[in-house]
Amino acid sequence: MRDVSIIGIGQTPVGEHWQRSLRHLAYDAVAAAMKDAGIEAATAMYVGNMMSGETSGQSHLGALIADFCGLRGIEAVRVEAACGSGAAAVRVGAMAVASGLHDLVICVGVEKMTDDVGGRLTSALAQAADADYEAIHGVTFVGLNGLLMRRYMHAYGVQHEDFAGFAITAHANAAGNPNAMFRKPITLQAFKRAEMVADPINLLDSAPMADGAAAVVLCRSDMARSLNGRAVRIVGSALATDCLSIHDRYDPLWLQAAEDSARRACAQAGVGLADIDLFELHDAFTIMSALSLEAVGFAQRGKGWQLAVNGDIRPGGRIPICTMGGLKARGHPVGASGIYQMVESVQQLRGEAGACQLPRARLAMTQNIGGSGATITTHILEAR
Amino acid sequence: MRDVSIIGIGQTPVGEHWQRSLRHLAYDAVAAAMKDAGIEAATAMYVGNMMSGETSGQSHLGALIADFCGLRGIEAVRVEAACGSGAAAVRVGAMAVASGLHDLVICVGVEKMTDDVGGRLTSALAQAADADYEAIHGVTFVGLNGLLMRRYMHAYGVQHEDFAGFAITAHANAAGNPNAMFRKPITLQAFKRAEMVADPINLLDSAPMADGAAAVVLCRSDMARSLNGRAVRIVGSALATDCLSIHDRYDPLWLQAAEDSARRACAQAGVGLADIDLFELHDAFTIMSALSLEAVGFAQRGKGWQLAVNGDIRPGGRIPICTMGGLKARGHPVGASGIYQMVESVQQLRGEAGACQLPRARLAMTQNIGGSGATITTHILEAR
């Protein structure tokens, strides 16, 4: 396998973009990434998107976005793995470079969620779950996560407010990120008072639906330095799956695909968890943060919530997470979130994270989750 | 790039499968392909599908289908490029093998179109076109193709019945294919009498909507012979795009991405068009057959229809097409059609095409089209 590096990053602010359509958002991120990389062309594009068919009446985003970005004719397809589409698109892009078939590849994640003309957003999100065995019963996607959180609290004797640290840390970190949707810190009192969404998940356990796009430019590492002195290497990359239905898992409180993909990515990179300086995890709901920390191995089974309580996840802590706000406070345009995680990690590794900059950032782990853990892609990025 | 071969093929009959859901169809094709290859495992799966979100309320097919096929945990994502999703998934699968990241990969195309509970099939198909500049005006996908066909007839002075040979040949060939949806030959009289769908496209210009799934198993060519003596090599593979909107093309009657992808695939394979023994093209409508033959170079501009009139496309003719019925008569489960083309080509190259067997079949070209030509993938397969 040829070595692959990220030589350009781009992102739109996350929020409600009433003036920008799906293709405009993607263009904004791609143009910024190409400018950052100092390139004017590429030979392939992989588009991560979950639900443009449902919310914008548009499929076929590969050709559409490549053309709209001025790259008519290049190889381009859409990659879909529900909320895990973004990192899955980067995984495919990295394979394209590794295969020797392409030297310069653009991966863009984009989602337009607020302009939901058909009122189909809730059912579109539920398509990440099993249509025939879960969604058919009327359970929503947040409802499934609510069941997981309740089970976790029961199994491990944990209170709802023990999760507060995940949301509080994310909002505190987002305050320094100009592209974050919510830049206002929140308090424990606010967390406890927040409106219920799907018991026990309340509004401040949940990442917000949003519009946004993020892009990375990939190239062969042996070309990277001459193109961009700030290149970041992808030293680990793995995608693992699990069954869609939570009831069909061996243990509903264990993200097997998080464990599998993280273990493989670490083995490729030749690093251990103690070497990781930041972990951009998939905090769509606070329960997912706890489960991810446990499955990857940063916490023991049933103890992930303690890292939120004791501050280990804060900047300067043992394993900083969601350093620029995470899904919770940067916002969660679903098909784009996996690439936002990688863009933000590159900012940290380059020392360009502004007010969010960590003092030490040499190795970053990113982990993007599709559904309730059925598709999980883990990448490890290394500063040059 | 590592050399890639197809060592297993599987398919379901194409038709109205009221007893089989999306996942069952995919399973049937994958199980058949794995049995044909003599394997019991693989490390990655790429699922080509256009519209399961619209017609089955289900996204996230990578993890779902991998698990349902007994391969829980492997790398798996969905690849989407409208009606070109099937071959695009094979293209990604071939990159996965070429990169050295995977040795054994399954690519499956699946579509369930007849069980359209929401009545959204027509609008789902239109998502292959540009939502903001084409579909918004109310034009359907067949309507766009009708405009193309009318323009072609006007520009080149061609009559509607000059296209009849495409449909007649497809139906005649399908008669020998046990997996084809329509195994009944049709006459010129029937073609001329067929009901109008979108003037000038009538029912017998059009491929039928259908359910079906087809799968191929890919592996490194250096492993292929020991696994399966009937392996077929992928000697050329290219995916090119064009703008979605037909009005935005330099020439609406020229499939630039067909030309580009075919030229690149031939160059990789080191072959010329005269070497190709069969051409499985994307005859979603008869007009697309004419345009494909011209853009690839089997006919001069404006003369593609003549190959239908003079019999060049029939078995034994200069360039046999749709040798097992094509989209027109085998049926067109959109996200699966690109893989049906490859499965049928492998049958021909192995000498296992039964009543459809061509006397000489050493090199096959397959070409799968997304939208009205915006994503086109061309593969060249060679018998060992």
Side-chain angles (χ1 to χ4, degrees), chain A residues 9-15 17 21-30 46-52 55 61 65 78-91 107-114 121 125 177 179 181 207-216 280-284 326-328 330-345 347 366-371 377 379:
Chain A
I9 55 174
Q11 62 184 314
T12 71
V14 177
H17 288 281
S21 76
L22 187 75
R23 70 188 77 190
H24 291 107
L25 291 169
Y27 167 80
D28 291 345
V30 169
Y46 299 96
V47 178
N49 171 269
M50 176 177 179
M51 56 172 70
S52 68
T55 54
L61 295 191
I65 291 172
R78 170 182 168 221
V79 177
E80 185 265 319
C83 345
S85 299
V90 177
R91 170 74 179 156
C107 302
V108 55
V110 59
E111 205 80 57
K112 177 82 179 162
M113 302 177 78
T114 61
L121 197 53
L125 282 165
N177 177 6
N179 292 302
M181 187 167 184
M209 296 184 281
D211 307 329
V216 293
E280 292 297 335
L281 55 70
H282 190 94
D283 58 326
L327 279 57
K328 172 69 200 83
R330 172 239 296 132
H332 184 26
V334 289
S337 289
I339 301 190
Y340 272 101
Q341 294 175 321
M342 300 186 78
V343 165
E344 292 163 356
S345 294
Q347 290 181 297
T366 63
Q367 189 170 73
N368 185 202
I369 300 184
T377 307
H379 282 103

Side-chain angles (χ1 to χ4, degrees), chain A residues 54 58 60 74 130-131 241 375, chain B residues 23 54 58 74 131 241 375:
Chain A
E54 300 292 312
Q58 181 72 70
H60 210 170
I74 67 168
D130 192 310
T241 57
T375 304
Chain B
R23 71 187 77 189
E54 300 292 312
Q58 180 72 69
I74 67 167
T241 57
T375 303

